[in-house]
Amino acid sequence: MGLSNLLPCLSLAALLVALPDAARSEVIAQGEPGFGDCDAFFYQQTPPEGLGDLPKVAKICQKYRHQPHFATLYSTQDRIPIYSAFKYQEGTQCCPEEASWMVEPQIDDQKNGLAGMMPEAEVADSVNNLGTNQALTSDYVDSGYEAGQLNPSFLQKDDHQLATHSLTNSFPVKPPLQDVWHWEIENLVSRALAPHCENGKDLYLISGAIPSSHKVNDKVSIPESLWLAACCDDGSNTWSMGFIKQAAAEKRLEDLSLEELEKKLPEGTRLFKNNCGQDRHDPKKLEPVGKSVKKIKAEKPALQSKKSLPMPHQAPKEEECGFMKKLFYFVITPICRLLTFAIYMVVQIVKFIFYIFSTLLHMLITGLCTFLKTIASVLMHVFTSLIHVLVNIMNGLARNIYRVLMVIYRIVCVPLNLLVDILSFPFYVLGAVPALLHDIARGVSGLFMLLINGITNFVRCLSWLVTHIAKSILPHMST
């Protein structure tokens, strides 16, 4: 009897030691964008717009065994989920005995150090104010309502299926409505939506509940209506579809467009980014989906009640505890809590010391790297400056040598040019004699020709004069 009460305590303590990182909350802090590790369950990793602005809501990345399984926007005011975003997986039959209703400790007690969903029975005595902001199984006792799943377990498998048994994924529902809702959602997704979207590979699903003013045990809101939105994007084409259902068993799911569904939700709601890639919508892709939906809606729901997890009033009565058992429990429980707290504090202190050590080591390494980098930079600068000085010295020396050689050249060139001119003078003189003789001959011949031309012109002039005189005299003589 003692071991049975002590083992859970020791197991929890061992878990805190083995998994110190588990102290991180899976409830996303207010003001932080997205849903952390659960953004992958949203189309283009973008949560819906508008619904997150509702009062008193908490964003939960639903984790089980430290793995993300779906995302939930939970109303701490109505204690039901506003929506759950998930991906379809071909479900398998879940064994109720392997699952139990789980809660999210961080919603009620952010300092408890427990991460992710945990069975309510295991944390009932270790979480302060449990049930202040979320529903518990005791809220359904003798109410006539059961806990329905917004993200249905039969659309999941393995740990994803077990993770849906969280009270932050549940809402109050009458058994007839639950049977119809489960049958419709299961058949619509598995037979109409997923087969036309790579068997759910590219299918993004968001199921939601619209809370009403009616509450179970004056605590948990009863949904006014339930809805489902689907977005398929295969990379080239997209299609989308919406469904809504009034909270009555005889009401069937109504299919409508994504825009029409958003108009029935709070103003400003946008369920998928860019309206599920509206610019790439392909009506032809949507036609077979619509036909499959109409075919399923024409069928009569097979009201074979899904096996649900037992609520407290359904569980078999345990044997009454004896006085010694109760006394032992009241003695061991504080010791367990004290031991758990002590181990938790030791872990936190070790983590703090490790953080300080790692910070100092990081600062030391950073400072050393900066020092070495600065030294290397200075040495490189000195080396480059030295090379630059040597190059300038060699350049100046070369210029001076060039100038000296030019002066020597000019000095040597003066007598050399004079000597060359003196030696070449006779050759210049001899070379000029033929030209001179030629010029003299041309001058003499020119003078001779001038003399001949003068005599000729004189004779011609004299001849003309004689002839003119003779002509002027002879006619008078003949008369």
Side-chain angles (χ1 to χ4, degrees), residues 347-433:
V347 171
Q348 295 302 315
I349 292 172
V350 171
K351 286 177 63 178
F352 179 74
I353 295 174
F354 177 76
Y355 172 77
I356 294 296
F357 177 76
S358 61
T359 302
L360 292 176
L361 183 61
H362 179 265
M363 292 175 61
L364 179 62
I365 294 175
T366 303
L368 182 60
C369 291
T370 304
F371 175 74
L372 293 177
K373 182 179 179 181
T374 304
I375 292 297
S377 177
V378 171
L379 292 177
M380 183 60 68
H381 181 71
V382 171
F383 179 74
T384 53
S385 299
L386 181 61
I387 295 297
H388 183 69
V389 170
L390 292 176
V391 170
N392 288 338
I393 292 174
M394 294 180 64
N395 188 26
L397 183 62
R399 287 183 180 180
N400 291 330
I401 293 174
Y402 172 76
R403 289 172 182 173
V404 170
L405 292 176
M406 288 302 297
V407 170
I408 294 173
Y409 170 74
R410 293 180 183 277
I411 293 174
V412 171
C413 283
V414 171
L416 288 177
N417 290 336
L418 180 61
L419 181 61
V420 170
D421 291 339
I422 293 173
L423 293 177
S424 61
F425 177 75
F427 296 99
Y428 285 133
V429 172
L430 293 176
V433 169

XYZ file of all heavy atoms in Angstrom, residues 347-433:
698
model
N 16.928 20.840 -9.293
C 17.059 20.879 -10.757
C 17.139 22.316 -11.255
O 17.958 22.656 -12.114
C 15.863 20.143 -11.414
C 15.864 20.377 -12.919
C 15.938 18.647 -11.122
N 16.283 23.181 -10.687
C 16.300 24.582 -11.112
C 17.620 25.248 -10.746
O 18.158 26.050 -11.522
C 15.123 25.328 -10.470
C 13.758 24.862 -10.927
C 13.605 24.984 -12.435
O 13.965 25.992 -13.033
N 13.071 23.946 -13.064
N 18.140 24.929 -9.541
C 19.428 25.503 -9.136
C 20.543 25.020 -10.055
O 21.404 25.795 -10.482
C 19.730 25.140 -7.667
C 18.739 25.848 -6.730
C 21.165 25.510 -7.296
C 18.839 25.411 -5.289
N 20.528 23.712 -10.355
C 21.538 23.170 -11.278
C 21.419 23.837 -12.642
O 22.426 24.190 -13.275
C 21.381 21.639 -11.401
C 22.270 21.097 -12.514
C 21.726 20.963 -10.079
N 20.174 23.997 -13.082
C 19.977 24.667 -14.367
C 20.486 26.102 -14.321
O 21.097 26.588 -15.277
C 18.489 24.650 -14.739
C 17.967 23.304 -15.188
C 16.480 23.350 -15.469
C 16.155 24.288 -16.594
N 14.707 24.298 -16.891
N 20.216 26.791 -13.194
C 20.673 28.175 -13.063
C 22.197 28.245 -13.053
O 22.798 29.095 -13.719
C 20.105 28.785 -11.778
C 20.526 30.204 -11.542
C 19.981 31.236 -12.282
C 21.485 30.509 -10.576
C 20.377 32.553 -12.072
C 21.883 31.816 -10.365
C 21.333 32.845 -11.115
N 22.833 27.326 -12.268
C 24.300 27.300 -12.239
C 24.852 26.986 -13.628
O 25.825 27.603 -14.080
C 24.786 26.266 -11.206
C 24.380 26.698 -9.790
C 26.299 26.076 -11.301
C 24.693 25.676 -8.706
N 24.231 26.017 -14.301
C 24.680 25.684 -15.652
C 24.501 26.875 -16.589
O 25.356 27.140 -17.444
C 23.884 24.484 -16.173
C 24.224 24.098 -17.583
C 25.400 23.419 -17.880
C 23.376 24.428 -18.636
C 25.726 23.071 -19.183
C 23.688 24.096 -19.931
C 24.865 23.409 -20.204
N 23.393 27.605 -16.404
C 23.151 28.782 -17.248
C 24.218 29.841 -16.989
O 24.766 30.433 -17.938
C 21.758 29.335 -16.959
C 21.487 30.656 -17.631
C 21.194 30.716 -19.001
C 21.520 31.841 -16.913
C 20.951 31.926 -19.615
C 21.277 33.055 -17.525
C 20.997 33.096 -18.876
O 20.752 34.295 -19.485
N 24.512 30.097 -15.693
C 25.544 31.086 -15.367
C 26.892 30.644 -15.933
O 27.626 31.442 -16.550
C 25.639 31.273 -13.839
C 24.345 31.892 -13.298
C 26.831 32.139 -13.484
C 24.063 33.280 -13.799
N 27.229 29.351 -15.723
C 28.502 28.838 -16.234
C 28.575 28.948 -17.752
O 29.585 29.379 -18.309
C 28.677 27.381 -15.791
C 29.925 26.740 -16.327
C 31.167 27.023 -15.790
C 29.847 25.839 -17.395
C 32.323 26.438 -16.295
C 30.994 25.259 -17.906
C 32.239 25.560 -17.346
N 27.493 28.539 -18.423
C 27.489 28.609 -19.891
C 27.558 30.046 -20.371
O 28.212 30.348 -21.380
C 26.234 27.925 -20.444
O 25.058 28.567 -19.975
N 26.892 30.968 -19.630
C 26.946 32.384 -20.008
C 28.361 32.928 -19.858
O 28.879 33.630 -20.741
C 25.970 33.190 -19.147
O 24.640 32.672 -19.302
C 25.981 34.655 -19.567
N 29.010 32.620 -18.694
C 30.387 33.078 -18.488
C 31.332 32.474 -19.521
O 32.220 33.166 -20.045
C 30.844 32.710 -17.067
C 30.136 33.451 -15.921
C 30.611 32.914 -14.581
C 30.406 34.947 -16.012
N 31.143 31.167 -19.795
C 31.990 30.514 -20.796
C 31.787 31.146 -22.162
O 32.754 31.381 -22.902
C 31.665 29.014 -20.849
C 32.522 28.167 -21.801
C 33.987 28.231 -21.389
C 32.034 26.721 -21.821
N 30.537 31.445 -22.466
C 30.244 32.092 -23.753
C 30.887 33.471 -23.817
O 31.468 33.859 -24.851
C 28.734 32.192 -23.936
C 28.326 32.865 -25.217
N 28.028 34.208 -25.288
C 28.191 32.378 -26.475
C 27.727 34.521 -26.528
N 27.804 33.431 -27.275
N 30.800 34.234 -22.700
C 31.420 35.565 -22.666
C 32.937 35.445 -22.798
O 33.566 36.250 -23.505
C 31.043 36.274 -21.370
C 29.564 36.640 -21.267
S 29.135 37.339 -19.656
C 30.170 38.789 -19.628
N 33.532 34.446 -22.112
C 34.977 34.255 -22.190
C 35.411 33.905 -23.608
O 36.372 34.476 -24.143
C 35.397 33.154 -21.212
C 36.901 32.806 -21.177
C 37.702 34.029 -20.743
C 37.161 31.633 -20.246
N 34.693 32.971 -24.204
C 35.032 32.560 -25.578
C 34.840 33.726 -26.541
O 35.661 33.965 -27.440
C 34.183 31.348 -25.990
C 34.555 30.119 -25.147
C 34.369 31.038 -27.472
C 33.687 28.912 -25.397
N 33.745 34.466 -26.347
C 33.486 35.615 -27.215
C 34.580 36.665 -27.063
O 35.072 37.224 -28.056
C 32.118 36.225 -26.881
O 31.102 35.225 -27.016
C 31.807 37.386 -27.811
N 34.984 36.948 -25.783
C 36.048 37.925 -25.554
C 37.371 37.474 -26.147
O 38.101 38.271 -26.747
N 37.694 36.178 -25.973
C 38.943 35.640 -26.525
C 38.935 35.730 -28.047
O 39.939 36.116 -28.656
C 39.114 34.193 -26.068
C 40.402 33.485 -26.516
C 41.621 34.225 -25.977
C 40.417 32.039 -26.055
N 37.806 35.373 -28.650
C 37.705 35.460 -30.118
C 37.847 36.899 -30.586
O 38.527 37.184 -31.585
C 36.372 34.875 -30.576
S 36.229 33.086 -30.368
N 37.222 37.831 -29.849
C 37.329 39.247 -30.216
C 38.772 39.726 -30.084
O 39.289 40.461 -30.950
C 36.408 40.088 -29.319
O 35.063 39.604 -29.422
C 36.449 41.546 -29.728
N 39.471 39.310 -28.984
C 40.872 39.703 -28.780
C 41.755 39.166 -29.895
O 42.572 39.899 -30.473
C 41.346 39.187 -27.423
C 42.812 39.422 -27.160
C 43.286 40.693 -26.851
C 43.715 38.371 -27.249
C 44.638 40.900 -26.614
C 45.054 38.579 -27.019
C 45.527 39.845 -26.703
N 41.593 37.860 -30.190
C 42.399 37.259 -31.264
C 42.105 37.906 -32.604
O 43.013 38.129 -33.414
C 42.120 35.751 -31.321
C 42.583 34.928 -30.111
C 42.174 33.475 -30.264
C 44.101 35.035 -29.938
N 40.850 38.213 -32.827
C 40.483 38.866 -34.083
C 41.125 40.241 -34.187
O 41.627 40.641 -35.248
C 38.969 38.975 -34.172
C 38.471 39.582 -35.459
C 36.946 39.634 -35.478
C 36.453 40.284 -36.769
N 34.954 40.358 -36.785
N 41.124 40.991 -33.046
C 41.726 42.331 -33.045
C 43.229 42.252 -33.261
O 43.804 43.017 -34.053
C 41.410 43.032 -31.717
O 39.992 43.059 -31.510
C 41.933 44.455 -31.727
N 43.885 41.309 -32.545
C 45.336 41.133 -32.717
C 45.668 40.765 -34.156
O 46.605 41.315 -34.759
C 45.859 40.061 -31.739
C 45.758 40.553 -30.289
C 47.296 39.684 -32.073
C 46.600 41.761 -29.971
N 44.926 39.840 -34.709
C 45.169 39.431 -36.095
C 44.976 40.595 -37.044
O 45.736 40.781 -38.006
C 44.249 38.269 -36.457
N 43.950 41.407 -36.775
C 43.701 42.567 -37.630
C 44.839 43.572 -37.547
O 45.291 44.114 -38.569
C 42.367 43.219 -37.225
O 42.130 44.379 -37.993
N 45.346 43.811 -36.312
C 46.461 44.756 -36.141
C 47.720 44.234 -36.831
O 48.423 44.980 -37.533
C 46.713 44.996 -34.636
C 48.001 45.789 -34.429
C 45.537 45.739 -34.015
N 48.033 42.950 -36.614
C 49.219 42.365 -37.267
C 49.100 42.423 -38.775
O 50.079 42.728 -39.473
C 49.400 40.919 -36.789
C 49.786 40.739 -35.311
C 49.852 39.259 -34.963
C 51.129 41.411 -35.013
N 47.939 42.138 -39.288
C 47.748 42.209 -40.734
C 47.908 43.638 -41.233
O 48.492 43.873 -42.301
C 46.355 41.674 -41.079
C 46.064 41.621 -42.578
S 47.219 40.546 -43.468
C 46.730 38.953 -42.811
N 47.409 44.610 -40.443
C 47.545 46.005 -40.836
C 49.018 46.417 -40.843
O 49.479 47.131 -41.752
C 46.744 46.883 -39.870
C 46.808 48.343 -40.202
N 46.177 48.888 -41.311
C 47.436 49.371 -39.569
C 46.409 50.185 -41.346
N 47.160 50.505 -40.300
N 49.784 45.979 -39.792
C 51.214 46.291 -39.742
C 51.940 45.673 -40.933
O 52.784 46.312 -41.573
C 51.815 45.788 -38.407
C 53.341 45.901 -38.431
C 51.248 46.598 -37.245
N 51.632 44.424 -41.230
C 52.284 43.745 -42.356
C 51.995 44.462 -43.671
O 52.904 44.709 -44.474
C 51.795 42.299 -42.412
C 52.367 41.507 -43.540
C 53.688 41.069 -43.517
C 51.584 41.207 -44.662
C 54.219 40.347 -44.569
C 52.112 40.485 -45.703
C 53.429 40.048 -45.663
N 50.746 44.811 -43.884
C 50.385 45.499 -45.145
C 51.030 46.878 -45.207
O 51.468 47.321 -46.278
C 48.864 45.626 -45.258
O 48.337 46.251 -44.072
C 48.216 44.261 -45.417
N 51.121 47.568 -44.047
C 51.773 48.889 -44.037
C 53.257 48.762 -44.351
O 53.828 49.583 -45.093
C 51.576 49.557 -42.671
O 50.194 49.750 -42.398
N 53.918 47.731 -43.795
C 55.343 47.498 -44.067
C 55.561 47.212 -45.549
O 56.495 47.765 -46.163
C 55.840 46.329 -43.210
C 57.328 45.974 -43.354
C 58.204 47.152 -42.954
C 57.680 44.747 -42.521
N 54.734 46.392 -46.119
C 54.842 46.092 -47.553
C 54.660 47.364 -48.361
O 55.395 47.622 -49.343
C 53.805 45.029 -47.958
C 54.109 43.679 -47.268
C 53.787 44.844 -49.470
C 55.432 43.061 -47.650
N 53.694 48.184 -47.943
C 53.427 49.434 -48.658
C 54.641 50.365 -48.596
O 55.013 50.997 -49.607
C 52.202 50.103 -48.036
C 51.790 51.361 -48.739
N 51.245 51.367 -50.014
C 51.838 52.668 -48.347
C 50.979 52.605 -50.374
N 51.323 53.417 -49.380
N 55.293 50.464 -47.404
C 56.489 51.309 -47.255
C 57.624 50.799 -48.137
O 58.321 51.578 -48.813
C 56.911 51.360 -45.775
C 58.283 52.026 -45.631
C 55.876 52.114 -44.961
N 57.857 49.479 -48.125
C 58.925 48.903 -48.955
C 58.672 49.171 -50.440
O 59.607 49.494 -51.192
C 59.024 47.391 -48.694
C 59.536 46.983 -47.299
C 59.491 45.466 -47.138
C 60.945 47.504 -47.072
N 57.441 49.037 -50.843
C 57.116 49.311 -52.247
C 57.371 50.768 -52.583
O 57.916 51.097 -53.663
C 55.642 48.923 -52.526
C 55.212 49.421 -53.902
C 55.463 47.423 -52.444
N 57.012 51.688 -51.670
C 57.252 53.125 -51.922
C 58.744 53.433 -51.979
O 59.197 54.236 -52.806
C 56.595 53.954 -50.814
C 55.087 53.962 -50.927
O 54.540 53.721 -52.008
N 54.398 54.226 -49.822
N 59.547 52.777 -51.082
C 61.001 52.994 -51.109
C 61.584 52.520 -52.436
O 62.393 53.219 -53.079
C 61.667 52.275 -49.929
C 61.259 52.943 -48.611
C 63.184 52.256 -50.080
C 61.749 52.219 -47.370
N 61.202 51.313 -52.873
C 61.726 50.791 -54.139
C 61.265 51.650 -55.308
O 62.035 51.888 -56.260
C 61.231 49.346 -54.321
C 61.805 48.374 -53.289
S 61.214 46.692 -53.506
C 61.906 46.310 -55.098
N 60.067 52.168 -55.229
C 59.565 53.023 -56.303
C 60.352 54.327 -56.362
O 60.741 54.807 -57.440
C 58.080 53.301 -56.056
C 57.434 54.018 -57.239
O 57.882 53.909 -58.371
N 56.383 54.765 -56.946
N 60.639 54.940 -55.186
C 61.436 56.181 -55.162
C 62.855 55.947 -55.652
O 63.412 56.780 -56.388
N 63.471 54.832 -55.228
C 64.827 54.499 -55.675
C 64.874 54.326 -57.191
O 65.797 54.816 -57.856
C 65.296 53.232 -54.958
C 66.729 52.771 -55.253
C 67.718 53.843 -54.804
C 67.025 51.458 -54.550
N 63.882 53.659 -57.747
C 63.836 53.449 -59.194
C 63.697 54.784 -59.925
O 64.317 55.003 -60.980
C 62.684 52.517 -59.537
N 62.893 55.684 -59.367
C 62.732 56.998 -60.016
C 64.037 57.781 -59.989
O 64.420 58.426 -60.997
C 61.643 57.787 -59.280
C 60.232 57.276 -59.551
C 59.211 58.144 -58.840
N 57.870 57.675 -59.092
C 56.768 58.243 -58.588
N 56.895 59.305 -57.784
N 55.585 57.761 -58.865
N 64.746 57.770 -58.887
C 66.028 58.494 -58.796
C 67.056 57.918 -59.760
O 67.807 58.667 -60.419
C 66.561 58.445 -57.366
C 65.696 59.270 -56.409
O 65.090 60.266 -56.831
N 65.622 58.867 -55.150
N 67.135 56.587 -59.844
C 68.063 55.953 -60.788
C 67.710 56.358 -62.218
O 68.598 56.661 -63.041
C 68.029 54.424 -60.624
C 68.602 54.030 -59.251
C 68.802 53.735 -61.749
C 68.489 52.547 -58.938
N 66.435 56.408 -62.515
C 66.003 56.803 -63.855
C 66.418 58.242 -64.166
O 66.899 58.545 -65.271
C 64.486 56.637 -63.945
C 63.891 57.190 -65.226
C 64.011 56.491 -66.428
C 63.225 58.410 -65.214
C 63.485 57.000 -67.588
C 62.689 58.923 -66.376
C 62.815 58.221 -67.565
O 62.277 58.732 -68.717
N 66.263 59.130 -63.176
C 66.619 60.533 -63.398
C 68.124 60.678 -63.608
O 68.584 61.447 -64.477
C 66.161 61.365 -62.208
C 64.635 61.527 -62.140
C 64.210 62.192 -60.851
N 62.753 62.306 -60.770
C 62.098 62.731 -59.700
N 62.793 63.064 -58.604
N 60.781 62.811 -59.722
N 68.956 59.964 -62.820
C 70.421 60.022 -62.991
C 70.823 59.528 -64.378
O 71.668 60.136 -65.069
C 71.108 59.194 -61.886
C 72.603 59.047 -62.181
C 70.905 59.852 -60.532
N 70.242 58.429 -64.793
C 70.558 57.899 -66.121
C 70.158 58.878 -67.219
O 70.877 59.019 -68.223
C 69.837 56.553 -66.306
C 70.343 55.406 -65.435
C 69.478 54.146 -65.651
C 71.814 55.091 -65.745
N 69.022 59.559 -67.035
C 68.605 60.534 -68.058
C 69.579 61.705 -68.119
O 69.889 62.217 -69.209
C 67.193 61.030 -67.731
C 66.108 59.992 -67.989
S 66.073 59.421 -69.702
C 65.667 60.929 -70.560
N 70.069 62.190 -66.912
C 71.038 63.293 -66.903
C 72.343 62.868 -67.584
O 72.902 63.602 -68.412
C 71.301 63.737 -65.445
C 72.485 64.712 -65.399
C 70.058 64.391 -64.865
N 72.785 61.652 -67.252
C 74.004 61.136 -67.891
C 73.806 61.029 -69.392
O 74.700 61.391 -70.191
C 74.382 59.769 -67.283
C 74.774 59.936 -65.807
C 75.526 59.125 -68.050
C 75.012 58.623 -65.076
N 72.649 60.584 -69.778
C 72.369 60.438 -71.206
C 72.412 61.788 -71.920
O 72.993 61.925 -72.997
C 71.023 59.768 -71.376
C 70.509 59.781 -72.796
C 71.055 58.939 -73.766
C 69.499 60.664 -73.168
C 70.591 58.957 -75.057
C 69.032 60.692 -74.462
C 69.571 59.837 -75.415
O 69.109 59.869 -76.697
N 71.795 62.785 -71.258
C 71.765 64.101 -71.903
C 73.184 64.698 -71.972
O 73.542 65.348 -72.952
C 70.843 65.040 -71.133
C 69.372 64.620 -71.222
C 68.492 65.586 -70.442
N 67.102 65.151 -70.459
C 66.255 65.404 -71.444
N 66.682 66.093 -72.492
N 65.020 64.970 -71.395
N 73.969 64.501 -70.890
C 75.348 65.023 -70.896
C 76.174 64.331 -71.974
O 76.951 64.966 -72.712
C 75.992 64.823 -69.514
C 75.282 65.705 -68.479
C 77.482 65.141 -69.553
C 75.746 65.468 -67.068
N 76.031 63.042 -72.078
C 76.796 62.292 -73.075
C 76.330 62.621 -74.478
O 77.129 62.645 -75.435
C 76.694 60.787 -72.775
C 77.300 59.966 -73.910
C 77.394 60.467 -71.473
N 75.082 62.932 -74.641
C 74.524 63.182 -75.972
C 75.045 64.480 -76.597
O 75.099 64.605 -77.828
C 73.002 63.233 -75.898
S 72.242 61.599 -75.772
N 75.437 65.511 -75.762
C 75.879 66.808 -76.319
C 77.138 66.640 -77.177
O 77.151 67.013 -78.356
C 76.095 67.830 -75.187
C 76.763 69.100 -75.738
C 74.769 68.151 -74.520
N 78.278 66.116 -76.672
C 79.460 65.955 -77.550
C 79.235 64.934 -78.663
O 79.798 65.076 -79.751
C 80.560 65.493 -76.577
C 79.816 64.913 -75.411
C 78.555 65.703 -75.299
N 78.452 63.948 -78.371
C 78.205 62.962 -79.410
C 77.478 63.594 -80.584
O 77.819 63.345 -81.756
C 77.389 61.783 -78.838
C 78.148 60.848 -77.879
C 77.200 59.776 -77.351
C 79.317 60.190 -78.619
N 76.507 64.430 -80.320
C 75.765 65.093 -81.404
C 76.677 66.061 -82.171
O 76.590 66.165 -83.402
C 74.574 65.856 -80.842
C 73.493 64.898 -80.339
O 73.422 63.763 -80.797
N 72.679 65.354 -79.397
N 77.551 66.776 -81.393
C 78.474 67.709 -82.057
C 79.445 66.953 -82.947
O 79.720 67.364 -84.091
C 79.225 68.509 -80.990
C 80.240 69.528 -81.520
C 79.546 70.595 -82.385
C 80.968 70.205 -80.349
N 80.022 65.861 -82.444
C 80.951 65.051 -83.221
C 80.279 64.486 -84.464
O 80.856 64.490 -85.554
C 81.495 63.924 -82.348
C 82.503 62.982 -82.998
C 83.752 63.769 -83.445
C 82.908 61.857 -82.042
N 79.064 64.058 -84.279
C 78.334 63.514 -85.431
C 78.105 64.597 -86.472
O 78.237 64.375 -87.680
C 77.004 62.894 -84.962
C 76.121 62.545 -86.153
C 77.265 61.640 -84.153
N 77.767 65.812 -85.985
C 77.529 66.918 -86.939
C 78.817 67.284 -87.685
O 78.795 67.560 -88.906
C 76.997 68.136 -86.195
C 75.594 67.908 -85.677
O 74.893 67.003 -86.219
O 75.161 68.607 -84.725
N 79.976 67.312 -86.932
C 81.251 67.660 -87.573
C 81.621 66.600 -88.614
O 82.058 66.927 -89.732
C 82.362 67.795 -86.506
C 82.078 69.000 -85.610
C 83.734 67.919 -87.158
C 83.013 69.123 -84.434
N 81.475 65.341 -88.214
C 81.851 64.273 -89.135
C 80.928 64.224 -90.340
O 81.352 63.859 -91.453
C 81.810 62.914 -88.405
C 82.871 62.728 -87.306
C 82.677 61.384 -86.607
C 84.281 62.796 -87.921
N 79.697 64.597 -90.144
C 78.754 64.515 -91.265
C 78.770 65.764 -92.138
O 78.120 65.791 -93.178
C 77.344 64.299 -90.709
O 76.950 65.374 -89.868
N 79.557 66.857 -91.706
C 79.555 68.096 -92.495
C 80.074 67.884 -93.917
O 79.469 68.368 -94.880
C 80.394 69.174 -91.769
C 80.516 70.449 -92.534
C 79.432 71.345 -92.623
C 81.695 70.784 -93.203
C 79.558 72.516 -93.338
C 81.803 71.964 -93.925
C 80.733 72.837 -93.984
N 81.260 67.213 -94.128
C 81.710 67.011 -95.527
C 80.689 66.260 -96.369
O 80.509 66.587 -97.553
C 83.000 66.192 -95.353
C 83.447 66.492 -93.970
C 82.218 66.679 -93.173
N 80.101 65.324 -95.759
C 79.093 64.561 -96.539
C 77.916 65.448 -96.915
O 77.371 65.346 -98.010
C 78.610 63.347 -95.712
C 79.703 62.348 -95.439
C 80.374 62.338 -94.224
C 80.087 61.423 -96.418
C 81.378 61.428 -93.982
C 81.090 60.514 -96.147
C 81.745 60.508 -94.928
N 77.522 66.357 -95.990
C 76.445 67.304 -96.317
C 76.879 68.232 -97.462
O 76.088 68.542 -98.356
C 76.073 68.143 -95.096
C 75.274 67.381 -94.068
C 75.614 67.460 -92.720
C 74.193 66.607 -94.450
C 74.904 66.762 -91.775
C 73.487 65.894 -93.507
C 73.828 65.979 -92.177
O 73.104 65.289 -91.251
N 78.202 68.690 -97.413
C 78.711 69.612 -98.450
C 78.749 68.911 -99.799
O 78.290 69.449 -100.809
C 80.113 70.140 -98.068
C 80.719 70.939 -99.217
C 80.026 71.006 -96.809
N 79.356 67.717 -99.802
C 79.438 66.981 -101.059
C 78.046 66.661 -101.588
O 77.821 66.669 -102.808
C 80.234 65.679 -100.842
C 81.730 65.866 -100.518
C 82.354 64.506 -100.226
C 82.444 66.551 -101.685
N 77.158 66.358 -100.712
C 75.800 66.057 -101.157
C 75.110 67.264 -101.730
O 74.209 67.147 -102.558
N 75.544 68.468 -101.337
C 74.880 69.688 -101.819
C 75.440 70.164 -103.153
O 74.808 70.982 -103.828
C 75.025 70.795 -100.770
N 76.698 69.708 -103.599
C 77.317 70.164 -104.858
C 76.446 69.844 -106.066
O 76.184 70.721 -106.904
C 78.732 69.574 -105.009
C 79.283 69.812 -106.403
C 79.643 70.177 -103.953
